[in-house]
């Protein structure tokens, strides 16, 4: 069984090196960089685009928050793509003040196809916009979002992800799990890489893209279930980094039901697998050719999801095989399992609490969420395992149990700040 022992040791070193790299990169988020200088001084013209499928209960709140931006109202238009809707999404959006495009297609149903369909029309019209901002229908947007994105454009940024915060972080263990996950990723993944001059990734909503980029690409050319990650990887392949804005805040609503959350995260995992199949080889080749940290980091991102999960499973199995063949004592087996359990289920909660402290978020309302965070992350491991064998792609609507408006979030933030 010497070959199993050698395999185990190799996997331990591989996983250790991978996570040491991630930790070293994350530390760069603790450095506050000097603000980039403005290359131009201009108030740019924006398209705010909202792809929506049967979202009559929430789309009006998003349109309302966009209409109340601290930005010249003549310099942005609000578009809603009512995509294969069977409810009153189009009417609600029109009544709220949006320009509505209705789309019906039984075969090409993903958000990426809807965006491409809409943007193709705007390219043909030679629409006079400087940039687009894309939102999900259940978002609400901070009043300074467009002002912050305009500053990024003036600094020369072409693609910028905003800060994706959560509307309902304290509803239950599921929504708090989402919140802690995003808050951690924002600081220790996206901000850290932005500070280093590498590339963050798009988060699916609340991001800005220069309209010139859209015209160069002849639309929005993504085919996977995670169009945000796919677009990010396409940019990294061309050597173009993405930007990050902590000031451009968008609030996203997370599902409160476990079944909905399971379905949503399953789609995300399947989308990552699709991206892995399409882009792993390309990213490896570009990293080899260009020898840049940004290209290498993009490659490490794509292998850091499902491939690293599989490697970890093989490592765990190798421990039990060695124990079964008397190549390892029971004490050694327990120690090795604990070495896996602690980083996987304990450290994420401690890391999330540290991020909340750094970002000035009140910890008291999230104490229960911090204790249940291992349950949320553990369920994601089960999702990853399931998707290795069964890959569901069916979209399941998120039930919106509360009518949360931007003023509700702003009032809550003021109260929490006063309490702190």
């Amino acid at each position: 069984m010497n070959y199993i022992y050698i395999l185990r040791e190799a996997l331990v070193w591989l996983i250790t090196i991978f996570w040491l790299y991630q930790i070293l990169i994350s530390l760069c988020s603790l450095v506050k960089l000097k603000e980039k200088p403005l290359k131009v001084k201009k108030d740019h013209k924006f398209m705010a685009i909202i792809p929506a499928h049967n979202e009559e209960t929430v789309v009006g709140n998003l349109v309302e928050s966009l209409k109340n931006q601290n930005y010249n109202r003549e310099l942005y238009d609000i578009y809603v793509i009512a995509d294969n809707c069977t409810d009153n999404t189009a009417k609600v959006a029109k009544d709220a003040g949006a320009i509505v495009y209705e789309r019906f297609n039984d075969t090409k149903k993903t958000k990426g196809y809807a965006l491409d369909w809409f943007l193709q029309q705007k390219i043909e019209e030679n629409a006079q916009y400087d940039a687009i901002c894309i939102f999900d229908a259940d978002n609400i947007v901070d009043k300074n979002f467009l002002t912050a994105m305009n500053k990024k454009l003036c600094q020369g940024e072409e693609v910028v992800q905003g800060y994706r915060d959560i509307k309902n972080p304290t509803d239950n263990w599921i929504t708090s799990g989402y919140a802690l996950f995003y808050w951690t990723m924002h600081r220790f993944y996206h901000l850290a890489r932005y500070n280093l001059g590498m590339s963050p990734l798009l988060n699916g909503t609340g991001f800005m893209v220069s309209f010139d980029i859209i015209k160069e690409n002849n639309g929005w050319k993504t085919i996977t279930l995670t169009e945000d990650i796919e677009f990010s990887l396409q940019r990294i392949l061309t050597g173009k980094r993405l930007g990050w804005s902590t000031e451009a805040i968008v609030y996203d609503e997370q599902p409160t039901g476990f079944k909905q959350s399971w379905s949503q995260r399953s789609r995300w995992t399947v989308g990552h697998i699709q991206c892995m199949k399409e882009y792993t080889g390309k990213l490896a080749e570009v990293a080899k050719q260009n020898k840049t940290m940004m290209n290498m980091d993009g490659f490490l991102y794509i292998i850091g999801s499902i491939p690293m999960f599989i490697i970890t499973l093989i490592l765990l199995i190798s421990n039990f095989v060695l124990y079964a063949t008397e190549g390892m004592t029971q004490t050694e087996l327990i120690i090795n399992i604990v070495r896996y359990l602690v980083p996987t289920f304990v450290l994420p909660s401690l890391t999330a609490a540290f991020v909340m402290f750094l970002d000035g978020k009140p910890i008291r309302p999230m104490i229960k969420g911090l204790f249940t965070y291992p349950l949320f992350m553990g369920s994601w491991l089960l999702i990853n395992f399931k998707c290795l064998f069964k890959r569901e792609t069916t979209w399941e609507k998120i039930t919106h149990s509360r009518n949360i408006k931007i003023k509700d979030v702003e009032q809550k933030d003021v109260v929490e700040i006063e309490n702190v």
Side-chain angles (χ1 to χ4, degrees), residues 209-375:
V209 182
S210 165
F211 196 42
D212 286 340
I213 300 297
I214 299 298
K215 289 186 279 191
E216 288 173 12
N217 291 348
N218 193 31
W220 187 272
K221 303 304 180 187
T222 61
I223 57 174
T224 67
L225 293 175
T226 48
E227 75 289 329
D228 51 343
I229 299 300
E230 185 178 1
F231 183 84
S232 303
L233 297 178
Q234 290 172 354
R235 295 288 293 170
I236 292 172
L237 279 171
T238 62
K240 303 292 180 63
R241 65 191 289 273
L242 286 77
W244 173 258
S245 176
T246 306
E247 299 170 344
I249 304 171
V250 59
Y251 296 92
D252 192 24
E253 183 171 348
Q254 301 306 329
T256 56
F258 183 71
K259 182 181 177 183
Q260 292 173 329
S261 175
W262 179 279
S263 176
Q264 182 189 63
R265 288 183 285 158
S266 293
R267 282 172 54 84
W268 291 350
T269 299
V270 172
H272 273 77
I273 293 173
Q274 293 171 340
C275 286
M276 183 185 71
K277 289 181 177 179
E278 181 69 23
Y279 293 100
T280 301
K282 297 175 183 177
L283 287 164
E285 184 63 28
V286 168
K288 180 181 177 182
Q289 289 177 355
N290 297 342
K291 295 180 175 60
T292 67
M293 280 296 295
M294 186 184 75
N295 289 131
M296 178 58 70
D297 189 67
F299 172 71
L300 290 176
Y301 170 79
I302 203 67
I303 69 168
S305 53
I306 295 299
M308 194 57 63
F309 174 69
I310 293 173
I311 289 172
T312 304
L313 287 179
I314 295 173
L315 175 60
L316 286 172
I317 292 170
S318 70
N319 281 286
F320 284 100
V321 171
L322 285 172
Y323 174 70
T325 56
E326 298 184 352
M328 179 184 295
T329 66
Q330 186 178 47
T331 302
E332 289 173 327
L333 175 64
I334 293 172
I335 291 173
N336 287 329
I337 298 302
V338 170
R339 283 176 179 171
Y340 170 76
L341 293 177
V342 170
T344 304
F345 295 103
V346 178
L347 287 184
S349 293
L350 298 177
T351 303
F354 182 50
V355 167
M356 293 179 67
F357 169 74
L358 292 174
D359 292 345
K361 295 182 182 294
I363 294 179
R364 184 179 297 175
M366 293 295 293
I367 288 177
K368 186 183 293 185
L370 287 167
F371 278 105
T372 57
Y373 192 38
L375 181 61

Side-chain angles (χ1 to χ4, degrees), residues 168 171-175 178 253-261 398-399 401-402:
N168 54 335
D171 279 3
N172 60 21
W173 69 273
I174 299 170
T175 62
Y178 279 104
E253 183 171 348
Q254 301 306 329
T256 56
F258 183 71
K259 182 181 177 183
Q260 292 173 329
S261 175
I398 295 176
T399 302
S401 57
R402 290 192 288 139

Side-chain angles (χ1 to χ4, degrees), residues 117-136:
W117 172 83
F118 171 78
L119 291 169
Q120 290 285 350
Q121 297 177 66
K122 290 301 167 185
I123 292 171
E124 291 177 9
E125 294 171 11
N126 193 29
Q128 298 302 301
Y129 294 99
D130 296 302
I132 67 172
C133 293
I134 297 176
F135 306 96
D136 285 342

Side-chain angles (χ1 to χ4, degrees), residues 2-16 315 318-319 322 328 336 339:
N2 285 339
Y3 62 92
I4 295 180
Y5 178 80
I6 294 172
L7 172 64
R8 176 186 168 277
E9 290 300 303
L11 294 179
V12 168
W13 277 105
L14 181 63
I15 293 172
T16 301
L315 175 60
S318 70
N319 281 286
L322 285 172
M328 179 184 295
N336 287 329
R339 283 176 179 171

Side-chain angles (χ1 to χ4, degrees), residues 50 52-57 59-60 63 79-104:
I50 310 166
H53 175 66
N54 290 346
E55 298 285 8
E56 62 181 3
T57 59
V59 70
V63 174
Y79 293 93
V80 171
I81 309 170
D83 189 31
N84 291 300
C85 291
T86 56
D87 66 354
N88 292 320
T89 295
K91 182 179 184 304
V92 171
K94 286 177 185 176
D95 292 345
I99 304 166
V100 177
Y101 282 57
E102 295 191 69
R103 172 183 179 268
F104 298 93

